[in-house]
Amino acid sequence: MKHSILKQLMLIAVLLTGSHVSAADFKVNGIHYNILSSVDMTCEVTYEGSSSYYSNEYSGNIVIPETVTYNDNTYTVVSIGYEAFANCDGVSSISIPNTVTSISAAAFSYCTNMTSITLPTNLDAIYNRTFEGCFSLSSIDLPGTITEIGWNAFTNCSGLTSIEIPTSVTMIDMGAFRGCSKLVSVTVPSSVQNINAGIFTNCTSLKEVIFECEVFSLQEMFNGCTSLTEFVIPNGVKDITGAFKGCTSLTTVTIPSSVTTIGDETFSNCTSLTSVVIPSGVEVIGISAFENCSSLESVEICNGVKTIGAYAFSNCTALTSITIPESVHTIEQSAFAMCSNLVEIHLESSTPPYNVESYAFDGISDKVVVYVPEDAVSAYQSNASWNAIGPIVAEVVVLEIQNSYYNTLRLFVIKGKSQKIQIIPTDDRFILNTIIFNEEDVTDELSTDGTYSTPILNEDAVLNISFTIPTAQNAPIQDSSIKAYGHRENIVVSGCEAGETITIYNTDGVQLRSQYATGNTVRITMPTNAVYIVKVNETAIKVAL
């Protein structure tokens, strides 16, 4: 009895001192094996100790044989066991025979100096953490039989410059290529049916990812991809939560109408992003979704968004104007805090959003003006939250009048109203040629009293009025088919025949440009804020840009 107790105490002492106890069934030519089946005569490669964290059990160039013989029995090598080569930073290369069909999780994790590996042609999957931390691995050929790339399978393979995902793969798990800092371009084949979160997180050299497959979520997909400059989110994607956080080089992103979720920190710290359109299917803009996007100048929030989350646009210092659609009812704490250049807030709802939390607009410009529908001015002025932000006035649109008689004017018109303009000049040296509203000829709509009334204006518009200069004999050419007018930075000449000469002069009669018409309508780009004389044959028209 005493001897039995003593033996047990000695065994416990051995275990507590962490003494090396072999986990392998046998060893041949420096490689350790476990017997999997004495019937099928199969075995797997394993590590020697009782724990995989005995470093450097293997080193050098490892060649695993197809079969091994032990105690007069020959076994076929069909598997690489769990963490078999983990932490063996002395390993330079590994060659695995085609008899192997399975490689267990973390089999080669943190083989930090392994530069190459030859995989078998019948492999079923790359499981979790298989190559995690293989810093020196620059390339790898994946066999066309694998169906899965497990979570963190290639995490922190910082030397990996390229990867070709076979068309046999149907699932790529979370963080599969996280921290592969030299990957530049990846194509995800059409065979992939399941893509999990954060696959390319911190791939700092990544510039392009082509999705040939359907993808429904990009959660944390490109977090920290600092070389990504532009991205078109595939149509069908619904959730992009955290997808582009810290993409500091991202300048443009296209969000399709299929997206319904822009969750927390989706674009936070995208310091180069200049514009974004948030589609109508999104109901909530998440917490800090665009926080610290310091280059963001234009944000279009489509009607459908109900909540703008806390800090959603905080510290977007390039933002000067924001339009909040009618659907928004909640603006959470510090949503636009520290947008120091925000001078215009446009609200489309006649009913003030009822839940505006503390400091929602804290730290914005002291010159801010709040624009609201004309019939809602008093409602917003009586609302303590909105009245504290800045002066509240009726919403206006800009009507730009490019007028060759009066030069260029900008009128501010209350949104939803029409504007009447006196067209006929008092100076009889000029004869009316055309009235163009937003590139549509409305000359026939001139009233008998010499005025023109625009349609209802709900957005900025351009009205161009041009006049014909009478001939030297003071006989105005009124029946000419030639028309000319300005639109933005272009002089538009219509009614031409191909080959006719179009000549442009300044008001002092100095020729600035001459060219042949190539068709009925010709656009000629000229400097703005100037008046020009456009001559085609005997017709001369004064045009302002």
Side-chain angles (χ1 to χ4, degrees):
M1 184 69 174
K2 288 182 179 179
H3 290 292
S4 176
I5 293 174
L6 181 61
K7 286 181 179 179
Q8 291 180 28
L9 291 173
M10 291 176 66
L11 175 61
I12 292 171
V14 168
L15 292 174
L16 289 175
T17 56
S19 295
H20 184 84
V21 177
S22 177
D25 291 331
F26 63 90
K27 177 181 179 181
V28 175
N29 294 330
I31 300 176
H32 304 277
Y33 300 92
N34 277 332
I35 297 171
L36 296 178
S37 172
S38 297
V39 176
D40 297 329
M41 303 299 290
T42 57
C43 67
E44 71 173 4
V45 177
T46 186
Y47 48 83
E48 178 184 8
S50 59
S51 168
S52 61
Y53 292 100
Y54 288 100
S55 297
N56 292 320
E57 289 187 85
Y58 297 107
S59 62
N61 300 312
I62 307 296
V63 178
I64 299 170
E66 292 184 353
T67 60
V68 289
T69 300
Y70 174 69
N71 284 347
D72 296 327
N73 292 316
T74 298
Y75 298 91
T76 300
V77 181
V78 297
S79 175
I80 308 297
Y82 174 73
E83 292 189 337
F85 293 89
N87 303 297
C88 292
D89 55 21
V91 169
S92 301
S93 67
I94 299 177
S95 179
I96 304 172
N98 289 332
T99 54
V100 172
T101 59
S102 177
I103 298 176
S104 298
F108 309 102
S109 61
Y110 292 95
C111 288
T112 56
N113 291 302
M114 183 174 69
T115 58
S116 66
I117 186 167
T118 302
L119 297 176
T121 57
N122 295 313
L123 195 62
D124 58 354
I126 304 295
Y127 290 113
N128 302 341
R129 300 180 54 236
T130 298
F131 296 100
E132 180 181 16
C134 292
F135 307 138
S136 301
L137 191 65
S138 60
S139 64
I140 186 170
D141 292 327
L142 301 180
T145 53
I146 63 170
T147 59
E148 174 185 341
I149 299 176
W151 64 267
N152 290 357
F154 293 92
T155 287
N156 293 329
C157 288
S158 54
L160 194 64
T161 58
S162 63
I163 189 80
E164 183 175 344
I165 301 172
T167 55
S168 55
V169 172
T170 60
M171 196 272 279
I172 303 176
D173 211 342
M174 183 168 55
F177 299 100
R178 178 169 58 90
C180 292
S181 56
K182 290 186 179 179
L183 274 182
V184 176
S185 177
V186 177
T187 297
V188 182
S190 58
S191 58
V192 175
Q193 301 170 10
N194 188 0
I195 299 177
N196 287 333
I199 290 174
F200 300 106
T201 293
N202 292 329
C203 291
T204 54
S205 297
L206 192 66
K207 295 183 177 180
E208 179 185 48
V209 174
I210 300 172
F211 288 101
E212 295 180 343
C213 61
E214 286 188 326
V215 56
F216 303 104
S217 174
L218 295 180
Q219 283 191 21
E220 300 182 7
M221 187 68 66
F222 304 106
N223 190 336
C225 293
T226 54
S227 295
L228 197 66
T229 59
E230 58 183 7
F231 195 81
V232 177
I233 297 172
N235 192 35
V237 170
K238 297 181 182 296
D239 189 351
I240 58 172
T241 298
F244 300 94
K245 178 182 178 182
C247 292
T248 54
S249 298
L250 186 69
T251 59
T252 60
V253 64
T254 301
I255 305 175
S257 58
S258 59
V259 169
T260 58
T261 303
I262 299 178
D264 298 351
E265 299 185 303
T266 298
F267 293 95
S268 66
N269 295 303
C270 289
T271 53
S272 299
L273 187 65
T274 58
S275 65
V276 68
V277 177
I278 299 170
S280 58
V282 175
E283 293 192 356
V284 177
I285 300 173
I287 296 171
S288 299
F290 295 89
E291 185 175 16
N292 296 325
C293 291
S294 54
S295 298
L296 192 61
E297 297 175 347
S298 173
V299 176
E300 181 180 341
I301 304 174
C302 292
N303 199 42
V305 173
K306 296 179 179 178
T307 298
I308 300 175
Y311 300 93
F313 296 95
S314 175
N315 207 34
C316 292
T317 52
L319 195 63
T320 59
S321 177
I322 188 71
T323 298
I324 298 173
E326 188 175 4
S327 57
V328 171
H329 58 64
T330 298
I331 303 175
E332 293 184 351
Q333 177 180 350
S334 301
F336 295 92
M338 308 313 294
C339 293
S340 54
N341 289 300
L342 186 62
V343 294
E344 295 182 10
I345 301 172
H346 300 265
L347 292 131
E348 296 184 338
S349 177
S350 294
T351 303
Y354 57 81
N355 188 10
V356 181
E357 295 184 3
S358 301
Y359 309 109
F361 293 92
D362 186 45
I364 63 174
S365 171
D366 56 6
K367 298 178 181 178
V368 68
V369 177
V370 180
Y371 295 91
V372 302
E374 183 187 20
D375 60 356
V377 172
S378 60
Y380 279 89
Q381 287 175 339
S382 61
N383 183 292
S385 296
W386 289 107
N387 199 39
I389 294 171
I392 296 170
V393 300
E395 181 67 88
V396 295
V397 295
V398 176
L399 177 62
E400 182 176 304
I401 303 175
Q402 296 177 338
N403 187 325
S404 60
Y405 182 76
Y406 295 108
N407 297 323
T408 300
L409 305 173
R410 286 168 59 87
L411 296 182
F412 294 94
V413 182
I414 292 176
K415 188 175 182 179
K417 299 289 186 180
S418 174
Q419 179 67 37
K420 180 183 283 190
I421 299 129
Q422 184 70 42
I423 298 293
I424 301 300
T426 57
D427 192 331
D428 59 8
R429 290 179 299 166
F430 302 106
I431 306 299
L432 178 67
N433 183 56
T434 56
I435 306 172
I436 307 293
F437 178 80
N438 282 352
E439 296 198 86
E440 180 182 352
D441 192 333
V442 294
T443 308
D444 293 341
E445 297 179 23
L446 183 69
S447 299
T448 55
D449 62 356
T451 62
Y452 166 73
S453 294
T454 70
I456 297 298
L457 298 174
N458 288 309
E459 59 186 4
D460 294 349
V462 177
L463 182 70
N464 185 279
I465 307 163
S466 62
F467 298 94
T468 299
I469 301 174
T471 62
Q473 292 77 24
N474 204 33
I477 301 174
Q478 296 180 335
D479 58 348
S480 173
S481 61
I482 302 296
K483 294 181 179 180
Y485 60 91
H487 187 78
R488 307 298 186 191
E489 71 278 5
N490 294 312
I491 293 176
V492 183
V493 185
S494 63
C496 305
E497 293 185 6
E500 286 187 316
T501 301
I502 303 171
T503 307
I504 299 175
Y505 303 87
N506 64 17
T507 53
D508 293 326
V510 177
Q511 181 177 319
L512 302 177
R513 187 166 177 176
S514 182
Q515 70 178 65
Y516 292 111
T518 56
N520 180 267
T521 301
V522 179
R523 291 175 178 267
I524 303 171
T525 301
M526 297 295 290
T528 57
N529 298 316
V531 177
Y532 301 96
I533 306 299
V534 180
K535 187 176 181 180
V536 183
N537 297 329
E538 296 303 318
T539 300
I541 301 170
K542 191 177 183 183
V543 175
L545 289 184

